[in-house]
Amino acid sequence: MSATEPAPDYEVRVAEDPADREACFAVRKDVFVAEQRVPEDIEYDAYDADAVHVLAVRADGEALGTGRLLHGAAAAAKNGDGDPAVGSLGRLAVTASARGLGVGAALVRAVEDAARARGLTAVDLHAQTHALGFYERLGYAAYGPEFPDAGIPHRAMRRAL
């Protein structure tokens, strides 16, 4: 950020308390269930309990976006090669009103910071194909074939930390 750019009017933090976690789930419901028509029964899963959730919240308390990091055995089950040193970024969602403000990139960086703090060497993700360019700009490279997830085309991507 240059000296002439204003600081964003939101913060990104790890969702530690129940209210923050509920805000994360509410953003996911708005974006994935309502907007993208992902069935609610597959949006929330057993991984949520042990995942690191990050939350972007505006100064007035409005939740703007969320993402989660799976690590350890949960991540190894999701990433391309079963490596427990590779985290899995997922459930990245930004509310319609907050798109274009840098929230998504800030959430990705917060997940990467959480991965580094846990000693992980890389982060994998499954990107909706329309978002490949977004992740490529953040240093992720696609690998493997396109595949459907919740009826939406995806590609696997990875970034070394």
Side-chain angles (χ1 to χ4, degrees):
M1 182 173 0
S2 74
T4 59
E5 292 178 51
D9 65 346
Y10 61 87
E11 70 167 334
V12 177
R13 62 181 182 244
V14 172
E16 302 277 3
D17 65 56
D20 276 358
R21 289 174 73 92
E22 286 305 314
C24 291
F25 297 147
V27 169
R28 286 169 48 184
K29 186 171 186 172
D30 287 348
V31 173
F32 296 126
V33 177
E35 263 187 64
Q36 297 183 357
R37 305 286 184 234
V38 171
E40 194 164 0
D41 61 329
I42 66 171
E43 173 51 32
Y44 307 100
D45 59 27
Y47 295 118
D48 281 327
D50 296 321
V52 177
H53 298 269
V54 294
L55 175 67
V57 62
R58 204 168 53 199
D60 67 3
E62 181 182 343
L64 303 177
T66 188
R68 77 176 184 188
L69 171 69
L70 304 182
H71 51 91
K78 295 277 239 181
N79 68 41
D81 50 15
D83 185 346
V86 177
S88 179
L89 185 159
R91 303 306 201 264
L92 186 76
V94 175
T95 61
S97 65
R99 292 179 194 147
L101 302 177
V103 173
L107 288 163
V108 169
R109 296 305 186 219
V111 167
E112 292 170 351
D113 290 345
R116 280 187 201 90
R118 285 157 181 77
L120 302 179
T121 60
V123 172
D124 258 26
L125 58 87
H126 294 164
Q128 293 181 6
T129 55
H130 73 83
L132 288 171
F134 166 77
Y135 289 110
E136 287 168 345
R137 287 187 296 278
L138 295 174
Y140 287 80
Y143 67 90
E146 184 177 294
F147 60 92
D149 188 1
I152 301 167
H154 284 69
R155 291 275 315 271
M157 302 185 85
R158 178 173 289 183
R159 179 175 187 259
L161 299 177

